[in-house]
Each structure stands twice: as structure tokens, then as C-alpha cells.
């Protein structure tokens, strides 16, 4: 490895490193604007200039590879003069917006000017005005603040895969703009707000609503999809003001989806904040005692086998522990966490996990997508697939409906017939999978949530390469609660019904009481004959069918755990308290068990989590993926003929929080409503 000297300190760095990286390794701070570690090097801001011995002028350290024996100086008079000159030029046309700019307090330009900039300006002319650009309902623009670092352009081109931003004109007249003025058609567009080093790109829903130093910051986990992206919840008082990504290299790096970032306004709309009981066909507010009494009266004369529990997509693991314990004490086998009817067997953990892991995408050399559209089902994971494709040697095939992804795919066919032909080796892509050292097979809910889902699962598993070093079989879930529910055994017991069976049982009279624990993605019209208890945080579809409503807490309002699609247990922390009389969900079920005479002896969060680890030992470790043993996936039956379809029709309306969000409603109108179809930029 090459050795070089930085400010008198000898440093050894890997071959191919830049001088900037070497300076970081030596602990020397070098200011940057255009450089970002996840983007290609542009070298256009010149803020990172350093002196190199035997070179006649200062060099841009971000774009200069290290060489053996190189001598670098970062703290000389020439370097300081160069940095002052760069900042003086950047500030020539920069407006004096700091008192009102949303970037204030988080602005790279502010910070670097304070430490490296000039104390006055020699420029006396009028500042250059630049018209603001329309980028859609999520990103606001103030282009007079733009310093042309081109981070946003490189992000959309390289990471998002939507090449809609670019630069026009040259020199002083240069502007960042879209090719055709319309909303940016990417599900991860909001990340450019974090990338922008100045206040040129801001969050349109959050703009002018709070200052960063007013906010209380809490680490948590995103539940809008099953990837489990790490987030930071910024709140003021009782309101969540914004959600930002948190760095986790193995899960989401530093990106989150637009739904995770911008749907937080739905946390304060259409909330259930008081218990309710149906009287004379109408729900009326009441207290906890009366709501529990109505449930006790119903269950006191009911046969336990006539009671069913359906668990929703956003439910945390602690609540599901209480659901399991309460169902066992009531004597009901009718428990299911698979609202969509996905054919997943809880007895084989490797059969429902993303076994290659999300970080393992970087080591894969071929990929087969079966009944999934990762761009809508897991946008950040899709960005990782794109990055792997850009690095070369990664061929991707797809069986299912044709959706525009952000990388080229080989279209193999539409449904199970193609899957069977691929298994027989009748399609050329079969040779690609056989010859690959680390191939991935990614199966989505569009292939599993159908009558022949078990047969599809078994056929897909037969195409995967499974061994000690590499397990290429992957299930891409869409529900944040799904893996945790399967780990905890929230599936029908002996003689029990799944969701479809529960709904049919209600219609036939076999089941007369149904607990909907945050379950909103089912056909609630079929629950008409049953006594329905809905426990959740939004007045969504499930609440509309309820006889008793128990108001719960949203994911930002409780200390809770979720398991992502790769089987990684992650914990979110309470950022704000639930509104009104709403309570944490596991506490509601614990109190209810006492009232109805089936006490669950789990009185503290610690006891609940200890019981969780007993029920599912893999959930005893936080933020770690436990390798699952490969076993018989069960299932069987014949493959159907219907083509696979993505379960996500509208990316912005997939859960109760998103459906309550005015921002997501506007995005749905703009993106899913067809405004972008003419340009062909959005899938």
C-alpha cells in the first residue's frame, strides 16, 4: 500500500485512494462541497485544495489519487488563501437568506464560511437572480442559493436512476434544472434535500415550520415497508415535524424512501384518540372501562374457538407477543398475521427471509426477480440493486409484469409457466443462474399472495443456490410486521383458519368475534356478521367496521421492535406520546386480558421482550441477522396460469398513515394519477 506524508504525519492507505481519503485517515479536516462518498467524483467546487510538494499549484484532493512518497500540506498560507478565494466567489451571488433559510443550523456553506471564509466581500454588483424550478410536491427550490456542486444531478443519475436533472448554460449563467418541467419521478427523490450543502433544495411540506435547534431528535425505524430503514424522528412538542435517514451501512446506507420521509403528516390526521363503542349502529366515544366491559360481555358467553385475531402490517413484535399469549388463553387457533394471504410457512425461517441479506446484494453476480417490483415495494433496496448493476457483471432477469425499473432487466415471461420452463432449463437465463457463483432469487408478494403461492414458493426455491457460504433464496416482504409475526408463530394453529378462512368463517357463522390488531388491508365488508374489536391508531378501513375501538399508538409513539425482511430485529424509540387516551398496544392487550379473566402475566416491557426471545430465539439479538437453517418449505399443489402482479398499485397509499397524509395524497394524484405518463419516467 502506498505511503505518503500529510502535514508531517506518515500515512499508509489502500491503493486507489484519493488524497482526500488519505487526509481523513490521518485525521486532517479538508472542507468539501461537491464531494460525497456515495457519488462519483466531480471535482468542481475546488474547496478541497491542498498543497502537494513538486506540484506548481494547489490540487483538488478529492480527485487526486495518492502516490508513493507524496508530501501533502493542508494548513499553509497558500491553502488558506485558496479556500478563502473559493468561498468569496461562492458568496458573490449567494443571497443573505440565512435568517429565514430552512438549512440554517445545518448548512455546510454557513459552517465552512465561518471557519475558512473571508471576513468581507469585494463584490459590489447586484446579485444574479435565478428562477426557482418546479420539482414536484415534495421538494421546494431556491435556486439563487445554488452553488452548482452538482450533487443532486449525480444522485438522480447514479443512485435514483432517474436522469431528469441537469445543468444548462455555462459560467455565471449556469442553472440546475429539469429537462422538462414536471415532478421528479423517483420514489427516493427526497434524499437530495439531505445531499444539498446549501438551502437550494428543501422539504416542501416542512419548509418554514421549525428550526433545527427547536427539535427533539429520536432514533427509530421506518415501518412503511419491510426493509426497516433506520430513521431519525424530529419532533417539537407533541408533533412529529420531519423524518430523516439514519446511517446503517447494512440496511439503508443513508437513504430512505419518500413515503418514509414525507408521510409523517399523516400521524396527526384521522387519529383514534379515545375508546369507542357502537350503539344503535353508531360509534360513540367512551372510556376504557366501558370499552373493556363491552368486550368482556361479548367474550363471557362466547366459545373461544369462535374468536379470531388478524394482525396488521405495522404491528410491533411486543404487541404480537401479547396477541399470541391472549389467543392461547382464549383457546382460539384462528390467528394470522398474513393479511394478504401470502403462502409462507412459519416452521421454516429460511423460507420467508431475505437470506442473502441486503448488504449481500453487493456480492451477488446474478439476480432473478419473481413477482416483485422492488422499485415500489422497497425503493432503497432497489437503489442497491441498481448500484450493483452499475458496477458490472450483474445480469437481472424478471418473471412478472413489466414495470420500468432503474436498471435493465431481461424479460423472461409473465407467470408460473415461465417459472416452470426456467426450472426445466428451457430458458437461457437458467444457464446464467447455474454459472453464477452467487446468484439471487427474489420472490415478491405478487407471486406468493395468490392461491398457488405455496407451489410458486417451492418452484422458486428450487432455482436458488443454497449452501453454507451463500443462500440465494430471498423473499421480499412488503409488511413491516410480517417477519416478526412469522417468527412469533402468529399463524393458524391446529384446526385454525387463515385470514381467508376467518372471513369465510364469519360469513358462515363459525366465527362470531374478530380482533383486528391494526388490520386494515382486508375486505372488511365480509365482517358484517361478527362482533369486531379494532385496535389501531387511525380511523381507517378496520375502524369503519368495528363495534369497539381501542386507540393504539403509532410507530413514533412507543418503544417497540420490528423485524425487517432479512430477519434483523431493530428497535424504535418513543419520540412523542400518543394523542388523547391512546395507549401503547401491548399495554392495551395486557389490561384487556385482566378484565376478561384471561390474565397474561407480562407486566413490563422487559418481561414482554424476554418472552419474545423465548418464543423466537432469533429475536434475542438486536440489529443482527441470524443465519436460518435451510429446511423443507412445505407447500405443494399445482402452479396456476395467471400472470404475477405487484401487490403495490399505488406506492403512496399502502398503509393507514400514508392514506391519512395530505402530502401522500398529493403525490398519489401527481404520480399514480397519470400526470407523468406522457413522459414515461415513472413506473
Amino acid at each position: 500500500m502506498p505511503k505518503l506524508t500529510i502535514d508531517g504525519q506518515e500515512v499508509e492507505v489502500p491503493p486507489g485512494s484519493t488524497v482526500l481519503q488519505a487526509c481523513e485517515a490521518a485525521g486532517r479536516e479538508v472542507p468539501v462541497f461537491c464531494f460525497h462518498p456515495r457519488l462519483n467524483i466531480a471535482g468542481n467546487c475546488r474547496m478541497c485544495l491542498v498543497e502537494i510538494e513538486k506540484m506548481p499549484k494547489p490540487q483538488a484532493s478529492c480527485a487526486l489519487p495518492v502516490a508513493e512518497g507524496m508530501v501533502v500540506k493542508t494548513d499553509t498560507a497558500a491553502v488558506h488563501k485558496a479556500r478563502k478565494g473559493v468561498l468569496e466567489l461562492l458568496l458573490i451571488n449567494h443571497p443573505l437568506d440565512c435568517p429565514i433559510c430552512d438549512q440554517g443550523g445545518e448548512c455546510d456553506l454557513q459552517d465552512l464560511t465561518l471557519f475558512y471564509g473571508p471576513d468581507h466581500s469585494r463584490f459590489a454588483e447586484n446579485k444574479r437572480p435565478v428562477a426557482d424550478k418546479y420539482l414536484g410536491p415534495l421538494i421546494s427550490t431556491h435556486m439563487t442559493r445554488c452553488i452548482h456542486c452538482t450533487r443532486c444531478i449525480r444522485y438522480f443519475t447514479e443512485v435514483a436512476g432517474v436522469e431528469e436533472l441537469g445543468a444548462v448554460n455555462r459560467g455565471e449563467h449556469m442553472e440546475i434544472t429539469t429537462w422538462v418541467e414536471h415532478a421528479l419521478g423517483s420514489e427516493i427523490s427526497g434524499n437530495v434535500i439531505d445531499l444539498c450543502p446549501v438551502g437550494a433544495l428543501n422539504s416542501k411540506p416542512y419548509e418554514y415550520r421549525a428550526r433545527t435547534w427547536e427539535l427533539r431528535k429520536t432514533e427509530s425505524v421506518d415501518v412503511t415497508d419491510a426493509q426497516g430503514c433506520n430513521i431519525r424522528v424530529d419532533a417539537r412538542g407533541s408533533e412529529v415535524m420531519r423524518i430523516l435517514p439514519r446511517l446503517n451501512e447494512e440496511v439503508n446506507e443513508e437513504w430512505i424512501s419518500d413515503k418514509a420521509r414525507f408521510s409523517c403528516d399523516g400521524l396527526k390526521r384521522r387519529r383514534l384518540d379515545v375508546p369507542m363503542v357502537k350503539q344503535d349502529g353508531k360509534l360513540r366515544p367512551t372510556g376504557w372501562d366501558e370499552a373493556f366491559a363491552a368486550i368482556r360481555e361479548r367474550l363471557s358467553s362466547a366459545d373461544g374457538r369462535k374468536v379470531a385475531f388478524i394482525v396488521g402490517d405495522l404491528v410491533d413484535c411486543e404487541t404480537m407477543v401479547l396477541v399470541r399469549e391472549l389467543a392461547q388463553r382464549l383457546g382460539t387457533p384462528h390467528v394470522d398475521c398474513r393479511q394478504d394471504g401470502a403462502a409462507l410457512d412459519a416452521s421454516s425461517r429460511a423460507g420467508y427471509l431475505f437470506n442473502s441479506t441486503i448488504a449481500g446484494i453487493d456480492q451477488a453476480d446474478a439476480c432473478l426477480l419473481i413477482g416483485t417490483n422492488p422499485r415500489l415495494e422497497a425503493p432503497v433496496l432497489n437503489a442497491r440493486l441498481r448500484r450493483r448493476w452499475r458496477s458490472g457483471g450483474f445480469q437481472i432477469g424478471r418473471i412478472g409484469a413489466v414495470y420500468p425499473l432503474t436498471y435493465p432487466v431481461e424479460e423472461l415471461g409473465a407467470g408460473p409457466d415461465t417459472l416452470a420452463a426456467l426450472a426445466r432449463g428451457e430458458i437461457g437465463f437458467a444457464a446464467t443462474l447455474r454459472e453464477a457463483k452467487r446468484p439471487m432469487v427474489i420472490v415478491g408478494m405478487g407471486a406468493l399472495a395468490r392461491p398457488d403461492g405455496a407451489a410458486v414458493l417451492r418452484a422458486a426455491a428450487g432455482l436458488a443456490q443454497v449452501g453454507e457460504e451463500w443462500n440465494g433464496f430471498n423473499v421480499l416482504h412488503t409488511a413491516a410486521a410480517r417477519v416478526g409475526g412469522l417468527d412469533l408463530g402468529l399463524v393458524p394453529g391446529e384446526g385454525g383458519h387463515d385470514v381467508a378462512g376467518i372471513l369465510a368463517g364469519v360469513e358462515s357463522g363459525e366465527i362470531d368475534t374478530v380482533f383486528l390488531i391494526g388490520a386494515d388491508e382486508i375486505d372488511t365488508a365480509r365482517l358484517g356478521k361478527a362482533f369486531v374489536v379494532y385496535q389501531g391508531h387511525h380511523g381507517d378501513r378496520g375502524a369503519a367496521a368495528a363495534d369497539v375501538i381501542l386507540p393504539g399508538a403509532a410507530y413514533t409513539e412507543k418503544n417497540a421492535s420490528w423485524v425487517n425482511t432479512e430477519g434483523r430485529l431493530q428497535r424504535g424509540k418513543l419520540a412523542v406520546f400518543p394523542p388523547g387516551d391512546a395507549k401503547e398496544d401491548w399495554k392495551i392487550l395486557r389490561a384487556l386480558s385482566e378484565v376478561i379473566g384471561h390474565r397474561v402475566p407480562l407486566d413490563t416491557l422487559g418481561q414482554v421482550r424476554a418472552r419474545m426471545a423465548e418464543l423466537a430465539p432469533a429475536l434475542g439479538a438486536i440489529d443482527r441477522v441470524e443465519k436460518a437453517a435451510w429446511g423443507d418449505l412445505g407447500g405443494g399443489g399445482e402452479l396456476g396460469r395467471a400472470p404475477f402482479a405487484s401487490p403495490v398499485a399505488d406506492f403512496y397509499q399502502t398503509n393507514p398513515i400514508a392514506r391519512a397524509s395530505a402530502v401522500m395524497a398529493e403525490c398519489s394524484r401527481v404520480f399514480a394519477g397519470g400526470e407523468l405518463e406522457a413522459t414515461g419516467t415513472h413506473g
Side-chain angles (χ1 to χ4, degrees), residues 177-190:
T177 183
T178 53
W179 307 119
V180 179
E181 187 162 319
H182 62 71
L184 293 169
S186 171
E187 295 75 21
I188 53 175
S189 65

Side-chain angles (χ1 to χ4, degrees), residues 92-166:
I92 282 175
N93 285 307
H94 198 81
L96 300 176
D97 279 350
C98 296
I100 64 163
C101 179
D102 271 335
Q103 198 78 354
E106 301 173 317
C107 179
D108 291 351
L109 186 60
Q110 272 186 339
D111 296 341
L112 297 185
T113 300
L114 175 65
F115 288 103
Y116 303 104
D119 56 5
H120 67 281
S121 174
R122 293 173 287 174
F123 191 73
E125 303 298 324
N126 292 328
K127 294 181 180 291
R128 178 186 70 132
V130 182
D132 293 340
K133 310 298 188 294
Y134 172 74
L135 300 183
L138 302 178
I139 301 171
S140 68
T141 61
H142 299 270
M143 301 313 292
T144 53
R145 303 172 186 167
C146 179
I147 62 170
H148 305 152
C149 70
T150 69
R151 280 186 183 182
C152 54
I153 297 174
R154 285 176 284 148
Y155 171 79
F156 277 106
T157 302
E158 299 164 19
V159 179
V162 179
E163 300 180 12
E164 295 180 356
L165 273 186

Side-chain angles (χ1 to χ4, degrees), residues 271-285:
R271 290 301 303 268
L272 300 174
D273 58 1
V274 64
M276 305 182 85
V277 174
K278 185 171 285 186
Q279 188 176 53
D280 299 328
K282 292 183 179 181
L283 287 165
R284 64 173 179 83

Side-chain angles (χ1 to χ4, degrees), residues 98 101-112 151 193-199 202 206 210-215 217 232 234 242 244:
C98 296
C101 179
D102 271 335
Q103 198 78 354
E106 301 173 317
C107 179
D108 291 351
L109 186 60
Q110 272 186 339
D111 296 341
L112 297 185
R151 280 186 183 182
I193 298 168
D194 304 327
L195 286 176
C196 183
V198 293
N202 292 321
Y206 169 75
R211 306 306 300 236
T212 180
W213 53 86
E214 300 174 333
L215 304 177
K217 301 167 178 62
R232 192 186 84 194
D234 286 1
R242 65 176 181 179
L244 300 177

